[in-house]
Amino acid sequence: PAEQTGQEGPYAHLDSREKIDAMSDHTLPRSERLRSLKAIRRLFGEGHSGFVYPVRYVYLLEGPQQGGQVGQEGAPQGMVSQQEQLSAEGVKTPVSDRAVQAMFSVPKKFHKRANRRNLHKRRMREAYRLGRETMCERLSNSGKHLQIAFIYSTKESHSYKTISNAV
């Protein structure tokens, strides 16, 4: 059927319901996005940074928490978070929910037009999304939590391949 309609790609052999299920496995869920202003301020205040052309990154890696100590949000570890309660009740949460949170930014200083900024953010998100599984598994197995910000830091527009190699 894919040859008759002209559709190509990895999901061409699936019907529409199967396509939705298959593609939803590869999305970047809201729980993996770094959105909290408090967390972002902490990331840029305490985090470490580096540069891989054309992307600058800032990251904050937190180790496993011991019982009785103050956790990352300032609450004692004896308190169970809402997300952990959901997991304890049997609702399946992906491995990467708590392992990695990421944000993507393209400053107006380098790209004045919103469509250009959106293009670069899409390319960085896609590169991150495709390569995150191994990183998420490693972090969740070690009990560590990573917050990372990717900032596109050049005036030139680069191809997806170049951005993918940097991310």
Side-chain angles (χ1 to χ4, degrees):
E3 294 86 44
Q4 295 169 354
T5 60
Q7 295 176 351
E8 293 181 10
Y11 304 111
H13 65 282
L14 303 173
D15 68 358
S16 61
R17 172 67 71 190
E18 291 172 333
K19 282 182 188 179
I20 292 171
D21 292 340
M23 288 190 293
S24 65
D25 294 341
H26 300 290
T27 61
L28 185 62
R30 192 171 184 166
S31 62
E32 288 188 27
R33 295 181 192 159
L34 187 59
R35 300 170 295 136
S36 165
L37 183 60
K38 182 179 173 182
I40 292 170
R41 283 187 177 151
R42 185 165 176 245
L43 170 66
F44 283 99
E46 300 175 15
H48 306 282
S49 64
F51 184 79
V52 178
Y53 187 81
V55 177
R56 184 170 79 95
Y57 59 91
V58 180
Y59 69 95
L60 183 61
L61 183 64
E62 297 174 334
Q65 307 289 329
Q66 271 69 7
Q69 292 183 351
V70 176
Q72 63 186 16
E73 297 296 325
Q77 282 299 313
M79 303 294 289
V80 178
S81 70
Q82 184 178 9
Q83 198 141 38
E84 291 175 53
Q85 286 175 354
L86 291 176
S87 298
E89 293 171 3
V91 176
K92 184 180 177 186
T93 56
V95 171
S96 58
D97 270 357
R98 287 170 280 161
V100 180
Q101 287 186 313
M103 69 173 284
F104 305 89
S105 176
V106 181
K108 275 188 183 181
K109 177 181 179 180
F110 297 128
H111 297 280
K112 304 292 185 204
R113 301 221 168 217
N115 64 347
R116 195 50 71 177
R117 290 193 305 272
N118 292 339
L119 172 72
H120 294 306
K121 281 193 278 190
R122 273 196 313 269
R123 287 178 177 172
M124 286 191 295
R125 273 196 307 263
E126 180 70 4
Y128 165 78
R129 187 185 65 76
L130 292 175
R132 74 174 179 222
E133 283 305 314
T134 56
M135 178 176 54
C136 290
E137 286 176 15
R138 243 185 263 156
L139 286 168
S140 63
N141 289 339
S142 65
K144 294 184 179 179
H145 180 77
L146 175 71
Q147 294 177 337
I148 188 163
F150 295 97
I151 303 138
Y152 192 88
S153 298
T154 61
K155 289 185 177 185
E156 298 85 25
S157 292
H158 293 284
S159 68
Y160 169 77
K161 186 176 181 182
T162 305
I163 294 171
S164 176
N165 289 335
V167 171

